[in-house]
Amino acid sequence: MNRVPERVRIRYAKHGRIRYTSQRDMARVIERGLRRSRLPIAHSQGFSPRPLLAFSLALPTGCESLAEYIDLRFADGGGAGFDATADPEAGIEAAQWVAGVLQDTMPEGIEVASAGVLTGAEGSLQEQVTSCDWILEVAGMGAEQLSERIESLLVADQVLVERVRKGRKTADNLRPSIVTLFHRGSGSTPGTQRIEASLSTKPRGVRPVELLEGIDPTLRLVRATRTGQYETVDGERFEPLSLQGLVRAPVNVGVQGR
Amino acid sequence: MTSVFEQLEPLLFSVEKPARYVGGELGCQMPTHGEGIVSWLLAYPDTYEIGLPNQGLQILYEIINERSDGAAERTYAPWHDLETLMREHGIPLFSVESHKPAHEFHIIAFNLSAELTYTNVLNMVDLGGIPVRTQERGANDPVIIAGGHCTYNPEPLADYLDAAVLGDGEEVVADITEAVARWLAIDEPERTRAELHRLLSAIEGVYVPSLYRPVFDGAVQVGLERIADWVPEIVEKRSVQDLGEWPYPKQQLVPLMEVVHDRLNVEVFRGCTRGCRFCQAGMITRPVRERPTEQVIDMVQRGIERTGYDEVALTSLSTADFSGIEPLVAAVVDNERNAGRVSVSLPSLRVDAFTVGTAAKIQQVKRTGLTFAPEGGTWRMRRVINKLITDDDLYAAVDAAFSQGWRRVKLYFLIGLPSERDEDVLGIAELGRRCVEIGRRYHSNVTVTASVGGFVPKPQTPFQWHAQDSGEELQRKISMLRSKAHETKGLTIRWHEPKASVAEALMSRGDRRMGAVVEDVWRQGGIFQEWGEFFDLSRFETAMERAGLLIEDVTTRQRSVDEMLPWDHLSAGLHKDFLVGEYQDALGELGVEDCRWTPCYDCGACTTLGLEHHVASAIAPAGGSQGTGQGIDLSVPVSVGLRPTS
Ligand code: SF4
């Protein structure tokens, strides 16, 4: 048995038909994959023990992604607990091995792209990630009109969308969460326009369909790809796998074992 | 080959649970179509999450795809939101694998497990761009057939099906594939529907409704004419003798979204001879055919490792009766490779303390709730229905459950049973009260839930002649039971909508004239009638009136045992004498033993079909009192009658 570090962070891509699987169902797919892999995943205590894995920000159903993350915690007995900081090479090797084993149990469309050993200093993914980048393909509006809409949105102080919370209608302002927004010509799907956006998770996360609603309610989402999730440290953005202190396997293992 | 996926894709952002429509499950197959290959579209007339786990469908999916002359894909009823969009954009019903339109398949085979799905069958055929009525289909339309438990009275769908298949599907799919291949090889214009029907009717177990013409007089069917002498008078069901030869599914589908029964399912035996008189499933699947224990163990272990599931259900009509249950449970629970993390579930628990012991062994992790099915509220009632569980059996089982850590017990009952009196209904509250009392000895906080369903006398059972309670009568009994149960804290009554029992009776007991009602309800928009939020009896009432039929004639009318029944020409092997005798014994409150462990009383199932029981053990399971005569507390006298064997 290879040595398995105690905590591993995985980055994977999700594309093709599996994008219609919801985040909740994705967790079940990964849990079944972990059991098939026989990796010594740790479990919670209590009446119905759950495998210890944690996701980054939920990916809306139907969206593709180049950058989804999961943190996995492994139990002792599989050789857990060695010091990856002291022996980075072994850490890299171990993370790569875990990623490869996991890849073999994943359905078509899930590609494990990178892995790193967490050494303890990092926070949870949910706390760390502060912004996401998106490429959207939209229909329902011509190029010129869309450019105008986006320009007027960017100079506005408020971009309101209506939400129903606990049976009451409220108006949410999305503007503070929109960091950048560009119209980039036509999309790869015929009849669509391409939008690129960077959206902050604070004060509130914004889903692609909400953003379109904010730009213009007649827009229809045809394709959406999350291209990155980032942490901000001293005003600079980092990918959650490039952090200091984290021993990272830079090699793409996506095709291993296929 | 065409695919509608490109048209479908842009719509999937706008619908609920889009994973229902894209396939890609573990075990999903992409068969080749083309010259010399008969293509099947296996259809389940309810949503993906209800239909996907269906074992029958998955078994046939694999068997057909293993054939060099067959290809099988799957489809499920699209939910309202997508259906509306499909009709708007002109997208036909499609398969989830290659998204090929339904009308490009040679055969569309529906699984009929519940009668209230009939309107969905018509809707799906129509959504496929195919004429719903058999008569209107031509040489290039798919062959529309159905299998599953409901086909023992397929008359309400007779005008819409080219054929209905009775019994096990494993062998018959080969015969159908070959017959349809022969038909497809005929050049037009000789390739007629009539020729197709002739070819299909020559297959054992296949019923072709267009070859029969029922004759009616008022409420009653008085005759059945065959269009020619070569048309079989009786269609007998198909049965496989040795389940060991059919270790399917080998690659159970593991879906990418949550479905019902989302776990590994392994069938341990087929058939049941407990002899519960209300139970259609038990009557039509006789005799008992067990899978060899070694094979079950192998299927379970391979299945767990292949799928990653941490739960396996051992399925059958009464799994605690499986002769190899103890070694089987031990093999799964003690297997080191499963690391103590795999739980086994027995979907149908026998009511006795012994069974609870087995349950305790296998549910070490999650001890949420246990379910028992006494079915009748009093010992008298249970003798009538031949569910020979004494009150003490139940209390012992419940005591065992509470003492071993369970805090929730669920009990299943039927009301509206033959000869039922109010005291039998109130007996449910009394049983519930005692169960709560027993629970309090162990825990301060216990819940007992009694689930009450309205009895529908089903075809091919001893109660097939019996009058059903009206919807109002069922409602009265429920109200009476609820107010009685109200006196006990910790006892909850759940009930099935009585109006749905009325509609279910129309669909399951109706004759060919009911077809107009199915079609009318569908045209009124009555689809997904299994779903409480969409069910509406008034559509059925309107349709019955328009068809000139009376609901009472089908539901509350007592038939004499001499009356011709619309399904008399379809046989599950059971002799009429046996059914009549059982009906009389029921009304005489006389039980009958299980023929697995006592002499055969010749119900007909084995003798007609040339089958026999296939059980590993000739001895009744330990502790099982139900129907075995063992361990019954005789302080209440019980008469267990043995029927003469000739
Ligand atoms: S024929 Fe005899 S042994 Fe076979 S199921 Fe019927 S009663 Fe039992």
Side-chain angles (χ1 to χ4, degrees):
Chain A
M1 184 88 176
N2 284 45
R3 290 202 296 175
V4 184
E6 202 180 331
R7 294 176 64 216
V8 173
R9 177 167 292 176
I10 299 279
R11 185 180 81 208
Y12 67 90
K14 182 183 183 187
H15 48 71
R17 295 187 187 177
I18 187 86
R19 71 179 183 276
Y20 297 112
T21 293
S22 70
Q23 183 79 17
R24 213 178 129 258
D25 288 330
M26 212 36 230
R28 303 163 65 89
V29 169
I30 287 171
E31 283 176 25
R32 285 197 299 264
L34 279 165
R35 282 193 292 267
R36 287 166 60 199
S37 76
R38 306 197 154 276
L39 289 168
I41 189 82
H43 285 75
S44 62
Q45 302 290 309
F47 267 121
S48 39
R50 311 291 321 154
L52 292 176
L53 47 98
F55 286 86
S56 51
L57 300 181
L59 182 68
T61 308
C63 299
E64 303 184 74
S65 177
L66 300 175
E68 295 302 295
Y69 299 87
I70 337 172
D71 284 352
L72 305 169
R73 185 181 285 275
F74 293 104
D76 291 333
F82 69 88
D83 186 354
T85 327
D87 187 358
E89 240 167 72
I92 289 169
E93 205 179 294
Q96 254 185 302
W97 180 75
V98 168
V101 170
L102 197 59
Q103 175 65 66
D104 285 345
T105 68
M106 287 296 114
E108 197 180 316
I110 297 297
E111 276 174 19
V112 180
S114 192
V117 179
L118 300 178
T119 50
E122 316 78 10
S124 79
L125 279 165
Q126 298 270 353
E127 296 161 5
Q128 273 186 297
V129 172
T130 50
S131 68
C132 300
D133 286 3
W134 289 91
I135 296 176
L136 311 177
E137 293 191 357
V138 303
M141 191 175 279
E144 225 165 280
Q145 203 189 349
L146 180 62
S147 288
E148 275 169 31
R149 287 281 180 213
I150 288 180
E151 266 167 47
S152 54
L153 177 144
L154 288 173
V155 296
D157 298 333
Q158 285 202 326
V159 177
L160 297 179
V161 292
E162 255 186 21
R163 283 290 154 269
V164 180
R165 278 203 194 86
K166 294 178 185 152
R168 287 201 15 232
K169 273 192 187 167
T170 56
D172 277 13
N173 181 12
L174 304 185
R175 186 62 190 88
S177 303
I178 303 170
V179 183
T180 63
L181 183 63
F182 301 99
H183 176 206
R184 300 281 195 205
S186 48
S188 64
T189 314
T192 62
Q193 298 295 315
R194 176 176 162 128
I195 292 173
E196 288 179 15
S198 184
L199 303 173
S200 161
T201 60
K202 300 238 161 56
R204 108 207 237 303
V206 176
R207 284 176 294 125
V209 277
E210 290 177 314
L211 176 65
L212 295 196
E213 204 184 318
I215 301 172
D216 190 301
T218 61
L219 286 174
R220 244 183 334 104
L221 186 60
V222 175
R223 248 198 145 88
T225 309
R226 175 144 76 185
T227 55
Q229 301 188 54
Y230 303 96
E231 156 171 61
T232 317
V233 180
D234 300 332
E236 239 191 294
R237 297 210 304 174
F238 291 91
E239 200 236 319
L241 262 177
S242 64
L243 297 172
Q244 258 188 334
L246 182 134
V247 179
R248 178 183 184 224
V251 192
N252 191 314
V253 295
V255 285
Q256 194 172 308
R258 275 258 150 143
Chain B
M1 190 184 72
T2 45
S3 161
V4 300
F5 193 71
E6 266 185 34
Q7 293 157 269
L8 181 69
E9 204 178 3
L11 308 179
L12 291 180
F13 258 119
S14 334
V15 301
E16 257 177 62
K17 304 189 183 175
R20 286 165 167 166
Y21 311 111
V22 298
E25 307 90 346
L26 181 67
C28 175
Q29 307 199 30
M30 279 288 182
T32 349
H33 297 268
E35 209 39 46
I37 292 175
V38 173
S39 59
W40 291 66
L41 181 60
L42 303 176
Y44 195 91
D46 208 324
T47 58
Y48 177 86
E49 56 271 34
I50 308 283
L52 181 114
N54 186 276
Q55 292 288 287
L57 197 148
Q58 292 200 22
I59 291 169
L60 301 187
Y61 183 62
E62 290 187 15
I63 291 176
I64 296 165
N65 278 326
E66 278 176 13
R67 292 179 65 90
S68 57
D69 62 351
E73 300 195 19
R74 294 166 288 127
T75 192
Y76 308 87
W79 192 240
H80 301 276
D81 54 359
L82 184 65
E83 188 200 332
T84 308
L85 290 171
M86 284 165 73
R87 290 195 187 269
E88 210 172 280
H89 290 80
I91 301 174
L93 182 75
F94 52 82
S95 66
V96 297
E97 288 89 349
S98 65
H99 294 87
K100 196 167 129 99
H103 60 79
E104 289 187 17
F105 286 83
H106 299 125
I107 303 173
I108 303 181
F110 284 92
N111 179 300
L112 300 182
S113 306
E115 293 87 354
L116 289 182
T117 64
Y118 289 176
T119 54
N120 280 18
V121 172
L122 267 55
N123 195 43
M124 289 171 77
V125 173
D126 181 67
L127 194 54
I130 301 158
V132 292
R133 296 182 152 258
T134 312
Q135 229 183 325
E136 287 158 20
R137 290 195 286 267
N140 295 309
D141 287 316
V143 182
I144 311 284
I145 62 176
H149 284 183
C150 297
T151 58
Y152 284 92
N153 177 27
E155 287 304 282
L157 285 179
D159 292 336
Y160 308 90
L161 297 176
D162 287 295
V165 179
L166 309 187
D168 299 337
E170 281 89 345
E171 291 167 348
V172 80
V173 289
D175 301 340
I176 295 173
T177 303
E178 283 157 23
V180 170
R182 239 175 297 147
W183 182 64
L184 292 169
I186 303 172
D187 288 328
E188 280 183 83
E190 273 76 47
R191 195 192 332 140
T192 60
R193 230 56 200 178
E195 180 56 16
L196 167 73
H197 293 170
R198 199 187 60 76
L199 287 166
L200 288 172
S201 76
I203 304 170
E204 210 185 303
V206 176
Y207 167 55
V208 178
S210 67
L211 307 179
Y212 302 79
R213 303 215 193 298
V215 184
F216 301 104
D217 182 6
V220 182
Q221 179 172 327
V222 291
L224 185 71
E225 292 166 0
R226 291 174 292 142
I227 65 152
D229 284 345
W230 50 263
V231 175
E233 269 177 76
I234 302 279
V235 179
E236 293 284 356
K237 74 168 176 186
R238 292 288 283 262
S239 270
V240 299
Q241 168 69 69
D242 185 1
L243 270 199
E245 284 174 14
W246 300 97
Y248 294 90
K250 292 174 179 167
Q251 318 235 32
Q252 185 186 310
L253 293 163
V254 184
L256 298 172
M257 63 171 272
E258 194 175 4
V259 297
V260 302
H261 310 313
D262 203 355
R263 60 196 179 200
L264 181 68
N265 295 296
V266 177
E267 185 186 29
V268 298
F269 67 84
R270 211 171 280 178
C272 176
T273 44
R274 286 278 171 192
C276 302
R277 291 172 177 134
F278 58 86
C279 176
Q280 189 190 36
M283 289 292 158
I284 62 179
T285 57
R286 291 172 166 227
V288 171
R289 289 144 295 148
E290 286 191 349
R291 191 181 293 289
T293 307
E294 280 310 312
Q295 189 181 69
V296 178
I297 293 174
D298 187 57
M299 286 172 78
V300 169
Q301 201 53 39
R302 272 172 205 267
I304 288 170
E305 301 195 7
R306 183 188 146 266
T307 61
Y309 275 125
D310 61 353
E311 183 186 351
V312 53
L314 304 173
T315 66
S316 76
L317 292 170
S318 175
T319 297
D321 287 347
F322 182 61
S323 344
I325 191 71
E326 289 200 69
L328 169 57
V329 166
V332 182
V333 175
D334 302 339
N335 190 324
E336 271 176 29
R337 286 183 69 80
N338 300 339
R341 287 233 163 71
V342 174
S343 68
V344 183
S345 65
L346 310 178
S348 44
L349 277 191
R350 211 174 47 210
V351 186
D352 55 52
F354 171 78
T355 310
V356 176
T358 313
K361 201 184 286 169
I362 62 189
Q363 292 191 4
Q364 278 160 355
V365 213
K366 299 175 216 163
R367 239 168 242 201
T368 41
L370 271 193
T371 304
F372 301 104
E375 311 284 4
T378 56
W379 172 231
R380 188 197 73 81
M381 196 74 261
R382 294 193 293 274
R383 277 191 324 245
V384 169
I385 61 177
N386 201 46
K387 186 110 194 184
L388 300 179
I389 304 155
T390 62
D391 291 2
D392 289 338
D393 286 334
L394 176 66
Y395 298 145
V398 168
D399 191 294
F402 285 127
S403 70
Q404 294 183 51
W406 277 279
R407 280 153 198 267
R408 271 191 296 140
V409 163
K410 199 164 162 195
L411 305 172
Y412 276 116
F413 293 96
L414 285 170
I415 57 166
L417 290 163
S419 84
E420 184 174 79
R421 305 167 192 149
D422 283 359
E423 70 203 48
D424 297 313
V425 177
L426 294 172
I428 295 171
E430 175 58 18
L431 285 185
R433 187 186 67 76
R434 290 280 300 273
C435 290
V436 171
E437 222 173 74
I438 292 168
R440 291 252 164 80
R441 283 184 218 147
Y442 301 98
H443 314 283
S444 56
N445 203 350
V446 293
T447 39
V448 173
T449 308
S451 248
V452 183
F455 173 57
V456 179
K458 288 284 171 88
Q460 319 280 0
T461 69
F463 293 152
Q464 60 180 348
W465 298 278
H466 200 79
Q468 189 191 14
D469 269 1
S470 69
E472 294 75 32
E473 176 65 358
L474 288 173
Q475 191 58 61
R476 183 191 69 81
K477 289 177 176 172
I478 291 167
S479 307
M480 178 180 72
L481 174 59
R482 284 181 64 202
S483 59
K484 178 79 190 159
H486 213 74
E487 296 164 12
T488 307
K489 211 174 141 263
L491 174 63
T492 321
I493 305 285
R494 291 242 172 82
W495 65 96
H496 187 65
E497 169 59 49
K499 287 181 176 157
S501 301
V502 174
E504 191 185 327
L506 296 178
M507 296 294 104
S508 66
R509 305 176 54 84
D511 55 43
R512 202 168 288 199
R513 294 173 294 185
M514 201 57 74
V517 176
V518 179
E519 187 172 335
D520 192 344
V521 172
W522 161 58
R523 290 196 190 278
Q524 292 178 57
I527 55 170
F528 287 108
Q529 296 299 285
E530 277 277 298
W531 295 67
E533 64 265 49
F534 301 112
F535 173 76
D536 184 356
L537 186 63
S538 71
R539 290 203 194 92
F540 289 84
E541 289 166 343
T542 309
M544 286 293 282
E545 208 181 307
R546 288 205 274 237
L549 301 171
L550 292 175
I551 290 179
E552 309 83 87
D553 281 346
V554 188
T555 57
T556 53
R557 187 173 64 85
Q558 175 70 42
R559 287 131 175 95
S560 89
V561 294
D562 302 320
E563 181 176 324
M564 177 182 234
L565 298 172
W567 50 86
D568 272 352
H569 56 302
L570 305 176
S571 165
L574 306 172
H575 295 320
K576 190 172 176 195
D577 287 357
F578 162 73
L579 294 175
V580 173
E582 279 293 288
Y583 187 29
Q584 285 161 350
D585 283 357
L587 298 177
E589 300 172 15
L590 192 68
V592 61
E593 296 201 354
D594 190 318
C595 57
R596 257 171 301 185
W597 306 297
T598 56
C600 163
Y601 43 82
D602 192 19
C603 72
C606 302
T607 36
T608 316
L609 303 166
L611 299 172
E612 53 188 50
H613 284 302
H614 206 282
V615 291
S617 163
I619 316 160
S625 63
Q626 227 175 295
T628 64
Q630 288 181 358
I632 291 186
D633 176 359
L634 295 178
S635 58
V636 196
V638 49
S639 35
V640 172
L642 261 194
R643 195 179 311 291
T645 51
S646 62

